[in-house]
Amino acid sequence: MFRRLKNLIKGFVGLFISGLEKANPRALIEAEKENLRQQIARFNDNLATHAGFVERLMRQIKNQEKEEQDLAAKTAAHLKLGHRQTAGQYALRLKSLRQQLEENRAQLEQAEQTYQKLLKARDVSVREAQQKIDALKRMISEAEMLEAQAELQEMAQGMISSIGGAGDTLSRVEEYLTERRDKAAGRARVAAGSIDSSQVELMEAEQEALGDQALAEFAAAYGLEMPAAEAAETAAAEDRGEAAPPVKDLGPAVPES
């Protein structure tokens, strides 16, 4: 049970860390760069230790080469002097030294090759890691740029939708106003059609008769003579700027018998 609970907690922690890594890729890259620097530092320490071993071998070989020359000279000198036993001892030491010298030279060659391989491996690994980091940085920049473009396109699409919605609203307002105008025109037409023209003409005739009556009363009161109907029509036409009605010609007068 505790193992299952432990696995569950580890799973939640892993999901939380994965979410943080996805949300902060730059921080993750910086952490990897720091980790790479630490690994390079440790590798350089080990490489320096190996280089120190190579230097010790080189120094030991130089000392052995000097000792070889010294033993060879002593062996030759004692041999010339006839000291065979002493010369033999120096010869044995020289032989053993030469064997050690050959072994050290072989170790030095192998150590030098190993050092060069390690140095090359370090440079290649660092260069490859740097290339990956640079590629990830470019990917982050591209992702951010594409996200910005997508956001702008979504905003533009939203603006287009908003403008389209406003256009629909204006169309509805125009439709409402057109309907209102047509309805008002119809009401006016119905009201105009409901007026009785005969009644209007009757009222107009009554007003004209009342006007003539009032005018006659006025003329009688002031002792004025009322003009004849034809003269009145002619004067009214002249006042309106119209031509006077033509005088009807009834032909020549017939003489009385």
Side-chain angles (χ1 to χ4, degrees), residues 167-238:
D168 295 339
T169 302
L170 295 177
S171 298
R172 289 196 300 272
V173 171
E174 182 180 2
E175 182 179 354
Y176 296 155
L177 291 176
T178 302
E179 182 180 358
R180 181 178 174 184
R181 182 191 62 186
D182 294 342
K183 187 175 181 180
R187 289 176 59 189
R189 185 172 183 179
V190 170
S194 63
I195 297 175
D196 189 359
S197 59
S198 60
Q199 186 177 0
V200 173
E201 292 176 356
L202 179 60
M203 292 176 63
E204 185 179 2
E206 289 179 355
Q207 290 179 359
E208 186 177 355
L210 291 174
D212 291 341
Q213 183 179 356
L215 183 60
E217 292 176 356
F218 176 81
Y222 285 90
L224 298 177
E225 183 180 356
M226 288 290 293
E230 293 182 359
E233 290 179 1
T234 302
E238 290 178 355

Side-chain angles (χ1 to χ4, degrees), residues 95-229:
K95 183 179 180 180
S96 176
L97 179 63
R98 284 177 175 174
Q99 289 177 353
Q100 293 178 6
L101 185 59
E102 289 297 326
E103 291 177 358
N104 288 338
R105 284 173 177 170
Q107 289 183 4
L108 177 62
E109 183 179 1
Q110 185 177 2
E112 184 65 25
Q113 291 178 357
T114 302
Y115 176 79
Q116 294 298 330
K117 289 180 180 179
L118 291 174
L119 191 64
K120 184 177 181 180
R122 182 200 64 181
D123 295 339
V124 171
S125 299
V126 171
R127 185 165 55 250
E128 183 178 0
Q130 189 63 42
Q131 290 175 355
K132 288 183 178 180
I133 290 173
D134 293 339
L136 289 175
K137 286 183 177 180
R138 288 194 298 270
M139 289 179 64
I140 291 175
S141 299
E142 291 176 359
E144 290 177 348
M145 181 180 65
L146 291 175
E147 288 174 353
Q149 290 179 356
E151 185 176 357
L152 288 175
Q153 290 177 356
E154 290 174 355
M155 290 175 62
Q157 184 64 32
M159 290 175 62
I160 292 173
S161 300
S162 299
I163 293 173
D168 295 339
T169 302
L170 295 177
S171 298
R172 289 196 300 272
V173 171
E174 182 180 2
E175 182 179 354
Y176 296 155
L177 291 176
T178 302
E179 182 180 358
R180 181 178 174 184
R181 182 191 62 186
D182 294 342
K183 187 175 181 180
R187 289 176 59 189
R189 185 172 183 179
V190 170
S194 63
I195 297 175
D196 189 359
S197 59
S198 60
Q199 186 177 0
V200 173
E201 292 176 356
L202 179 60
M203 292 176 63
E204 185 179 2
E206 289 179 355
Q207 290 179 359
E208 186 177 355
L210 291 174
D212 291 341
Q213 183 179 356
L215 183 60
E217 292 176 356
F218 176 81
Y222 285 90
L224 298 177
E225 183 180 356
M226 288 290 293

Side-chain angles (χ1 to χ4, degrees), residues 59-78:
R59 186 171 60 253
Q60 186 176 356
I61 288 172
K62 287 181 180 179
N63 293 333
Q64 287 176 344
E65 288 175 349
K66 289 176 63 177
E67 187 178 358
E68 180 188 15
Q69 293 176 0
D70 186 52
L71 288 175
K74 289 181 179 180
T75 301
H78 283 286

